[in-house]
Amino acid sequence: MTRLELQSATELGRKIAAREISSRETTQYFLDRVEALNSRIFALNLVDGQRALELSDNIDKRLQAGESLSPLAGVPMAIKDVLCTRGIATTCGSRILNGFVPPYDATAVEKLLSAGLVPIGKSNMDEFAMGGSTENSAYGVTRNPWNLACTPGGSSGGAAAAVAAGLAPISIGTDTGGSVRQPAALCGVCGMKPTYGRISRYGLVAFASSLDQIGPLAHRVEDIASTLQILAGYDQRDSTSLNEPVPEYCKQLDAPIKGLRVGVIREHLEHESLDPEVRAAVERAQLLLEDMGVTMVDVHLPHTKYSVPAYYLIAPCEASSNLARYEGTHYGFRSSAAPQADSPLESMMVNSRSEGFGNEVKRRIMLGTFALSAGYYDAYYKKALRVRRLIAQDYRSAFDKVDVVLGPTTPTPAFKLGEKLDDPVQMYLCDLFTVGANLAGLPGISLPAGQDETGLPLAVQLQAPALDEVQLLNVAYQLQTAGLFQQQVAELS
Ligand code: GLN
């Protein structure tokens, strides 16, 4: 039997369209892998095989009738459990949303369905996307398919592990401070965060609204480009979505990059926390680019050291406000503890929030509430917003000199499960190279770049000016094709 998990989503889509293989067979094949492997890594926290097969049958019928569908029609995929799916439970990895079944689809989900993709399930995540290891899910820990003792990264750890283990050729994650790129890096797959506003956030359960962005994960850059093509575009239901034309993302993938200028972020490459093997991977990418006629230029993001502190003020501030809506009346979970007679409503809310939220979410709500409170607002939140502007300005100055920038995605390859759980700051510091793009609203992509000496994936990151996904994908594609990465699926032994 052909090993479908070794083929790219684009390749599978082509075969389905040519009717060399049916969508049903493809979907069944991946469902069988989920059945065999998911319990080992817990990438998916909900699987809906029956619905997936029905959707596949429908695609097969339409193709049989001669309809011409999108290039990825009939291809199975997984959706991070933070995106609302009509009639299908959406938990955000939180106990507080246990039992919540959205009455509508997120715009992104709607678009994927109308392009004929076949959701097979929801992927596990850190609670409300807060975390970098997928250990903060109320439903269980996701493991790294390359080494089950390691974390897949987070918060879209389930989405990355699902692709890495060949449970789905594509998955959809979200990235507020790195949550698509970081798990993609630690699991050896591609993951992209587009420009803020490029993809509608309607139906994406909000963590930090000014930073959240949806992004695809897959093995190959062309799969990322095709998925972005489906997802991108203005949506009047999201007031921050950009009303800008959507270019053709696949058309220029293989355009020559000779003569382009690529910046190497010195503050990232020389950072003391950077693992030597990760640094070597970035240097390999640099050599490959030079071989293709690219001019490499040193660039500086001088405010890099303030990016994690600024992010960990702004994101919790927004979260503390966004998460105020979960109080036991509107959604999902309500505490069954007896309310206090003198304040029944308030005590029900306190009990529901105390029992419904996990520790990391509580920590962020407290941090955010504190930083927004009278007397601290100017000292913390407002200051962080000012730093955010400086960080955006750093990128603008860099992009005056170069077309895209190159650096690491994460300081180290995947770390051990449990290793950073007792030390939140250590966990936060893993976001050093990813939060900048969120604070500045820029697109970034993480690309697999070989393995370290223990067999764990290495990765590099490319970032581009706002709305320049075409250029970003072009360089990413050329790097991947030049041999930075061979498509690999983890063998779970
Ligand atoms: N690790 C970061 C955090 O915990 C990023 C999360 C994300 O991008 N959703 O906030």
Side-chain angles (χ1 to χ4, degrees):
M1 171 88 182
T2 328
R3 292 194 49 195
L4 299 185
E5 79 279 14
L6 298 181
Q7 301 179 21
S8 71
T10 306
E11 187 64 11
L12 290 171
R14 197 193 56 72
K15 288 187 176 158
I16 292 169
R19 299 185 48 222
E20 286 167 30
I21 184 168
S22 68
S23 171
R24 170 177 266 268
E25 282 170 294
T26 311
T27 301
Q28 188 61 60
Y29 182 91
F30 283 97
L31 286 172
D32 289 346
R33 285 186 66 85
V34 170
E35 174 78 26
L37 302 171
N38 191 46
S39 59
R40 312 269 304 280
I41 53 173
F42 197 51
L44 305 181
N45 59 21
L46 180 148
V47 181
D48 194 347
Q50 200 191 328
R51 175 167 177 269
L53 291 171
E54 280 164 22
L55 289 168
S56 287
D57 284 342
N58 181 40
I59 295 296
D60 288 331
K61 251 186 241 143
R62 288 169 65 187
L63 288 170
Q64 219 166 348
E67 244 186 273
S68 138
L69 304 175
S70 96
L72 294 178
V75 176
M77 62 172 304
I79 298 175
K80 186 177 180 181
D81 205 15
V82 69
L83 285 160
C84 285
T85 42
R86 183 158 55 97
I88 296 165
T90 298
T91 68
C92 293
S94 183
R95 189 167 180 224
I96 211 154
L97 280 177
N98 199 358
F100 171 59
V101 179
Y104 68 100
D105 276 325
T107 298
V109 173
E110 213 175 76
K111 287 187 167 200
L112 293 161
L113 286 171
S114 30
L117 278 103
V118 177
I120 59 170
K122 305 291 290 276
S123 63
N124 196 32
M125 56 183 282
D126 284 304
E127 184 175 8
F128 285 104
M130 297 175 194
S133 65
T134 317
E135 291 166 292
N136 296 336
S137 165
Y139 300 96
V141 169
T142 299
R143 291 170 185 274
N144 191 314
W146 294 98
N147 179 340
L148 299 179
C150 289
T151 159
S155 65
S156 313
V163 174
L167 306 188
I170 301 176
S171 63
I172 304 299
T174 60
D175 191 311
T176 303
S179 279
V180 165
R181 290 161 290 154
Q182 185 256 19
L186 303 195
C187 288
V189 303
C190 299
M192 180 194 217
K193 179 199 99 72
T195 305
Y196 181 76
R198 183 70 293 186
I199 298 177
S200 166
R201 292 184 296 109
Y202 178 77
L204 157 62
V205 179
F207 160 14
S209 313
S210 79
L211 301 160
D212 297 341
Q213 185 60 197
I214 293 169
L217 298 95
H219 285 293
R220 306 261 339 156
V221 174
E222 56 268 36
D223 301 340
I224 299 284
S226 303
T227 312
L228 178 64
Q229 196 72 52
I230 296 166
L231 294 171
Y234 174 64
D235 178 8
Q236 58 178 10
R237 293 176 295 185
D238 169 6
S239 63
T240 61
S241 92
L242 293 169
N243 198 350
E244 296 286 338
V246 176
E248 291 201 39
Y249 294 114
C250 296
K251 246 192 171 155
Q252 282 183 50
L253 288 176
D254 58 357
I257 54 173
K258 189 169 167 21
L260 230 62
R261 294 168 70 82
V262 173
V264 180
I265 309 167
R266 294 322 306 180
E267 287 78 2
H268 291 194
L269 206 64
E270 278 152 26
H271 200 273
E272 57 182 20
S273 69
L274 189 64
D275 178 283
E277 290 193 80
V278 180
R279 181 181 299 128
V282 176
E283 286 163 355
R284 278 200 298 280
Q286 195 171 334
L287 289 177
L288 283 171
L289 289 170
E290 273 166 354
D291 281 349
M292 288 186 274
V294 166
T295 307
M296 300 302 299
V297 180
D298 283 344
V299 294
H300 291 278
L301 299 176
H303 295 93
T304 293
K305 58 176 174 295
Y306 302 116
S307 59
V308 166
Y311 171 85
Y312 278 96
L313 279 162
I314 294 168
C317 284
E318 295 187 23
S320 72
S321 162
N322 276 326
L323 271 58
R325 72 191 67 164
Y326 308 109
E327 25 64 321
T329 62
H330 289 96
Y331 305 92
F333 172 80
R334 176 180 298 180
S335 166
S336 48
Q340 280 168 21
D342 54 346
S343 61
L345 185 62
E346 193 186 332
S347 63
M348 182 281 286
M349 290 178 174
V350 169
N351 291 338
S352 299
R353 286 170 72 81
S354 305
E355 293 167 33
F357 288 133
N359 286 342
E360 184 59 29
V361 171
K362 287 179 186 165
R363 184 178 294 126
R364 308 257 182 138
I365 292 174
M366 285 189 274
L367 276 171
T369 307
F370 176 79
L372 286 175
S373 56
Y376 296 104
Y377 181 93
D378 286 353
Y380 294 113
Y381 182 63
K382 214 163 146 193
K383 204 173 204 173
L385 290 184
R386 291 200 177 124
V387 173
R388 183 177 191 173
R389 287 177 69 98
L390 293 174
I391 287 168
Q393 183 54 49
D394 282 355
Y395 276 100
R396 269 196 296 276
S397 307
F399 288 127
D400 281 344
K401 292 195 272 177
V402 295
D403 301 291
V404 302
V405 293
L406 167 74
T409 310
T410 57
T412 67
F415 47 93
K416 290 267 167 6
L417 287 167
E419 190 181 303
K420 299 184 198 288
L421 265 188
D422 299 331
D423 192 346
V425 173
Q426 284 311 312
M427 191 76 91
Y428 300 170
L429 287 170
C430 298
D431 304 334
L432 182 62
F433 306 132
T434 49
V435 291
N438 302 80
L439 290 166
L442 307 177
I445 187 167
S446 180
L447 294 177
Q451 298 181 341
D452 74 1
E453 57 177 24
T454 70
L456 284 169
L458 296 167
V460 302
Q461 178 178 210
L462 295 165
Q463 297 167 79
L467 287 175
D468 214 354
E469 279 85 0
V470 170
Q471 186 76 272
L472 183 68
L473 288 162
N474 176 209
V475 178
Y477 179 85
Q478 292 289 17
L479 254 185
Q480 190 170 52
T481 316
L484 185 62
F485 155 80
Q486 262 85 53
Q487 177 168 323
Q488 281 172 330
V489 168
E491 301 288 344
L492 300 186
S493 50

